[in-house]
Amino acid sequence: MLLQLACVFAFVALYVHGQELCTRPDGGHGTCIKYVQCPDIMERLRGRHKAGLNLAQYTCGFEGLLPKVCCDSCYTPEGNKGKCVHVKQCPHLNNYRYSNISSEKFYVRNSRCFTGRFDVCCGPLPQFNTEPWDNCQSQMTAFPPDPASGCCGYDANSGDKIFGGEDTAIDEYPWTVLLEYNDANKIKTYCGGTLISNRYVLTAAHCITDETKLPINVRLGEYDTRYDIDCVNADCAQPLQVIPIESILVHPSYSSFTRKNDIALIRLARPAIYNEFVRPICLTNSDVLRSVNEGVKLITAGWGRWNRTNNSPIKQKVTLPLVSIEDCQNAVNHTLNPPRLWKHQICAGGEPGKDACKGDSGGPLMLTSDGLLHVLVGLVSFGPKNCGKAGVPGVYTNIHSYTRWIRRNIYP
């Protein structure tokens, strides 16, 4: 049994991915997080018992002026309120550990809490029914949909630009976004990102850590940056959605020198409106590096540099082979600075004339199943200065390593 538990849960230290363990007023353990992320605290602040809440008793620190509280409540993967308990105290999650259904096992992994090694967020019994996209609208929340729901990772085309890529279809990869920056009172786009729910976008940390150049908006539904309304033949996209950024969370262990933990979470000021040109991608439920010897092909898309000097106005895509970290390390030793890679990165590419490039940073690296379901496996991080260099893959942040950090920092 202990071996099976170990296969589902990773070791949780006293301080992991920015989550500090703390002691609550009742003597129980919790994690020190922003008060807006704690379901119990927010429920009491919004309810009739606000007067009876002594927030100072729960306060364990501050993030700027916002108090952090010691919280033992949580949100389930689909956004319902739950409580962090040992997995054996949550009957349905305990049963899912032994299930032969992959979606149930993945649900357990995505339910892990930081309060203890075997703690999970126990909430209402989840539903795993696959619904057609038209029936997904009412289910869309700030929380990333599960791939088994059928409510993410499908585009209407199903059935730093991309160097050496090709134009996408106008409705292809509707989760790709552009970050807008205010540069000398002009709106410019320097990085991409990926929509994972109606309130959250993932991007690279290095895109938003320059205090002199911070993004202010997220542009969704873009195809051709030269026009306000995009049309290809008789197919016209809906108007762009430009949504202000409410907050940005950079991974607390990000290093601008090594590019380790090159990931950040953007919260939109209001929910995105879904249509054929704006939809979320699924977060991966498995580590693509396990398939490195199977000839896996991955896809990246964006508006970055497409020859050696100019960004593409039209969204581009390119298919790249997955490369092992070991082979990638040998290839980049004398070409990239810094060259030292680690297990939480993915390498893809190395084919001449095909690569992500300047302007694609933060954009998606995708794995597709039968050309239909797309899952996010990586984010564009860095690569050779001369994009598309033969034998030198690009380096991407491995999303599988950060799914728990992502989910734990999302709130309604």
Side-chain angles (χ1 to χ4, degrees):
M1 180 180 294
L2 288 177
L3 180 60
Q4 288 173 298
L5 280 169
C7 291
V8 177
F9 296 94
F11 175 74
V12 180
L14 292 179
Y15 185 90
V16 181
H17 295 325
Q19 305 289 341
E20 298 174 77
L21 288 182
C22 53
T23 303
R24 294 166 50 81
D26 60 7
H29 292 298
T31 50
C32 190
I33 59 177
K34 289 185 292 186
Y35 77 98
V36 293
Q37 294 175 282
C38 185
D40 279 342
I41 294 295
M42 292 304 295
E43 186 175 77
R44 294 177 66 179
L45 286 174
R46 292 169 176 151
R48 292 177 297 176
H49 305 293
K50 178 179 178 180
L53 173 64
N54 184 353
L55 193 63
Q57 287 185 321
Y58 295 86
T59 300
C60 52
F62 292 87
E63 187 169 306
L65 297 177
L66 294 179
K68 297 170 72 175
V69 297
C70 194
C71 184
D72 68 346
S73 60
C74 53
Y75 292 109
T76 64
E78 68 273 28
N80 293 317
K81 178 185 171 183
K83 191 174 183 66
C84 289
V85 299
H86 193 282
V87 65
K88 290 184 177 180
Q89 296 177 287
C90 189
H92 61 277
L93 292 188
N94 194 41
N95 289 335
Y96 290 166
R97 292 191 297 117
Y98 306 102
S99 172
N100 292 322
I101 301 174
S102 60
S103 60
E104 294 183 347
K105 284 192 171 183
F106 290 143
Y107 190 87
V108 179
R109 183 176 64 81
N110 290 334
S111 298
R112 291 177 296 179
C113 286
F114 286 105
T115 49
R117 184 176 181 181
F118 302 118
D119 286 358
V120 294
C121 187
C122 188
L125 192 68
Q127 301 294 322
F128 295 105
N129 295 331
T130 299
E131 299 286 348
W133 175 263
D134 290 345
N135 295 329
C136 289
Q137 298 293 343
S138 62
Q139 302 178 36
M140 293 304 189
T141 68
F143 296 84
D146 189 276
S149 70
C151 296
C152 59
Y154 291 98
D155 57 31
N157 191 57
S158 292
D160 302 24
K161 155 138 178 223
I162 303 303
F163 190 85
E166 59 181 293
D167 293 355
T168 66
I170 191 171
D171 49 10
E172 201 168 11
Y173 314 126
W175 38 82
T176 50
V177 308
L178 282 168
L179 305 187
E180 292 190 347
Y181 298 76
N182 186 347
D183 189 344
N185 295 320
K186 292 183 179 179
I187 295 297
K188 297 185 178 180
T189 57
Y190 297 114
C191 280
T194 308
L195 187 70
I196 60 170
S197 75
N198 68 6
R199 289 296 293 270
Y200 285 93
V201 166
L202 283 175
T203 190
H206 76 265
C207 288
I208 49 181
T209 50
D210 182 351
E211 294 184 359
T212 65
K213 190 170 61 178
L214 293 175
I216 57 172
N217 302 314
V218 173
R219 188 189 305 176
L220 302 96
E222 182 62 279
Y223 175 69
D224 189 332
T225 59
R226 296 170 296 185
Y227 307 107
D228 292 334
I229 299 293
D230 299 324
C231 294
V232 175
N233 297 324
D235 190 6
C236 293
Q238 295 193 26
L240 296 176
Q241 297 180 46
V242 179
I243 302 180
I245 292 173
E246 179 179 296
S247 62
I248 298 172
L249 180 66
V250 175
H251 193 283
S253 298
Y254 166 64
S255 167
S256 59
F257 176 69
T258 65
R259 290 287 177 91
K260 290 182 177 181
N261 304 301
D262 191 10
I263 185 172
L265 189 62
I266 294 175
R267 180 176 169 87
L268 304 178
R270 62 177 183 271
I273 299 173
Y274 292 134
N275 53 51
E276 289 185 0
F277 310 95
V278 177
R279 295 182 179 181
I281 194 172
C282 304
L283 295 180
T284 183
N285 275 329
S286 60
D287 191 350
V288 70
L289 289 177
R290 295 178 181 175
S291 305
V292 71
N293 294 319
E294 298 174 8
V296 171
K297 296 287 187 177
L298 304 174
I299 303 167
T300 187
W303 293 263
R305 192 168 295 174
W306 69 283
N307 46 36
R308 295 199 187 276
T309 56
N310 300 312
N311 282 20
S312 171
I314 298 175
K315 189 193 311 184
Q316 301 282 294
K317 64 180 178 180
V318 68
T319 300
L320 304 168
L322 178 65
V323 179
S324 71
I325 289 294
E326 294 76 17
D327 290 343
C328 187
Q329 184 67 70
N330 293 331
V332 305
N333 272 339
H334 303 293
T335 57
L336 296 183
N337 183 25
R340 182 53 53 189
L341 306 177
W342 72 330
K343 61 182 179 180
H344 301 311
Q345 291 169 318
I346 293 174
C347 291
E351 296 181 341
K354 293 184 178 182
D355 205 353
C357 201
K358 186 175 182 180
D360 290 317
S361 290
L365 183 68
M366 302 167 278
L367 176 66
T368 180
S369 174
D370 299 324
L372 298 176
L373 175 66
H374 299 78
V375 295
L376 182 67
V377 299
L379 297 176
V380 179
S381 184
F382 67 100
K385 184 176 181 180
N386 294 325
C387 309
K389 186 173 182 179
V392 184
V395 182
Y396 301 76
T397 300
N398 187 345
I399 290 298
H400 180 259
S401 301
Y402 300 93
T403 52
R404 188 158 51 130
W405 176 80
I406 293 166
R407 293 181 183 278
R408 194 67 176 103
N409 285 289
I410 284 176
Y411 56 96

